[in-house]
Amino acid sequence: MAGQTPPTMQDVQSAPAEVALSIDRVGVKHLMLPLVVRDRAQGVQHTVARVDLGVDLPAAFKGTHMSRFVEALENWKEELDYHSFKALLTDIRQRLSARKAYVVFRFPYFLKQASPKSGSPGWMSYECTLTGEMAGETMVFTLAVDVPAMTVCPCSLAISDQGAHSQRAMVRVMARFTGFLWLEDLIEIAEASASSPVYTLLKREDEKHVTESAFAKPTFVEDVVRGAAQRLDRHPQVNWYRVEVESFESIHAHSAFASIEKTK
């Protein structure tokens, strides 16, 4: 009725928790967001990100305020760089009165690829992840990319009179770094470490070249992960990395894998 004071809405999230345990991360997942990332050849490219946002929650509180995560994205300017990522982490931590904030962006990154002999163009898509963590004023950023590649088994090639088994592998490169790190650098490191890159479009002369060059460079998963680690060791901006290689074996009912992690 007119003149009456509306009832005060109860803040249930700030009430005491029935079970007084701290939560490491609580938040929202799979928000879709337009994204602009830097492209070494074109300057920038537009893509779409799947975003996870989270904070820590002290034992005293029943819940967090989920709507505030979405509100934080209202200030997002679409372009992904150090300053925008830091601003988003800072905003989330302040809005949620949290000690720690977490942000994960997952997005496809596209490169125009030319076939090795015919030069036929095709778009390759690489799944990328940028993770940011902020505790106080300390921030940690990790850039990761999944790169498909081809491996030819050295053992199979050595013991067979004709041929050898070959298969697609996935090389996942994760890196922490100083300054700016191109996604293209990580993609090139992964592809150079395998028997051969894989391609979107291949003509007959391309298939011949890819097959022959791959069989001239047989690699175990151990070879691929060591080669990638060696190249990351030499990269001047990378100060931590983890490389994981999974080979989807064509004649075995299992995958083979290897990983190396190092702080430089």
Side-chain angles (χ1 to χ4, degrees):
M1 295 176 61
Q4 286 187 340
T5 302
T8 301
M9 290 190 177
Q10 187 177 0
D11 185 0
V12 177
Q13 286 93 330
S14 298
E18 291 88 350
V19 179
L21 286 176
S22 298
I23 297 176
D24 296 327
R25 294 189 187 186
V26 58
V28 296
K29 280 192 169 188
H30 306 313
L31 293 164
M32 300 300 292
L33 195 70
L35 190 66
V36 179
V37 294
R38 291 185 61 181
D39 182 315
R40 193 165 65 188
Q42 304 297 326
V44 296
Q45 70 171 257
H46 295 260
T47 183
V48 176
R50 214 166 57 250
V51 183
D52 302 344
L53 309 173
V55 294
D56 65 322
L57 186 68
F61 295 100
K62 184 177 182 65
T64 193
H65 294 80
M66 298 294 184
S67 63
R68 295 180 186 176
F69 291 108
V70 183
E71 288 173 342
L73 289 176
E74 288 301 309
N75 296 320
W76 179 254
K77 303 302 183 185
E78 296 188 16
E79 188 163 350
L80 186 61
D81 57 27
Y82 172 83
H83 298 291
S84 64
F85 215 58
K86 178 182 178 180
L88 180 58
L89 282 163
T90 302
D91 191 14
I92 290 169
R93 192 163 61 88
Q94 291 174 348
R95 284 177 185 271
L96 278 299
S97 301
R99 189 172 65 89
K100 297 180 180 179
Y102 309 90
V103 176
V104 181
F105 279 69
R106 297 181 180 89
F107 57 93
Y109 186 72
F110 297 90
L111 290 180
K112 180 64 72 69
Q113 180 194 63
S115 301
K117 283 297 183 181
S118 68
S120 301
W123 286 104
M124 279 289 293
S125 172
Y126 302 91
E127 286 299 314
C128 302
T129 304
L130 181 61
T131 303
E133 302 181 17
M134 173 182 278
E137 296 304 312
T138 302
M139 292 184 297
V140 177
F141 296 98
T142 306
L143 182 63
V145 59
D146 293 344
V147 183
M150 176 184 175
T151 59
V152 175
C153 177
C155 179
S156 177
L157 186 62
I159 64 176
S160 300
D161 292 330
Q162 297 183 23
H165 76 84
S166 59
Q167 52 276 316
R168 188 181 300 180
M170 186 63 72
V171 185
R172 186 161 210 251
V173 183
M174 291 163 274
R176 295 173 189 156
F177 50 92
T178 55
F180 183 82
L181 180 64
W182 291 104
L183 279 165
E184 288 88 342
D185 286 359
L186 301 185
I187 293 168
E188 289 166 3
I189 284 171
E191 292 180 339
S193 303
S195 296
S196 172
V198 297
Y199 296 85
T200 300
L201 176 60
L202 293 173
K203 300 293 188 179
R204 280 177 293 181
E205 60 267 36
D206 299 312
E207 289 194 15
K208 181 178 186 298
H209 173 83
V210 169
T211 303
E212 290 176 347
S213 61
F215 272 70
K217 186 188 175 186
T219 52
F220 292 125
V221 289
E222 296 93 332
D223 298 315
V224 180
V225 79
R226 285 172 174 149
Q230 184 181 56
R231 290 174 172 87
L232 288 163
D233 272 332
R234 296 170 180 165
H235 198 291
Q237 288 160 276
V238 173
N239 52 49
W240 172 94
Y241 64 80
R242 178 178 174 84
V243 186
E244 300 174 353
V245 181
E246 182 177 1
S247 178
F248 308 109
E249 299 288 285
S250 60
I251 66 170
H252 302 290
H254 56 261
S255 291
F257 81 96
S259 67
I260 294 177
E261 180 176 339
K262 182 178 179 180
T263 299
K264 291 167 58 176

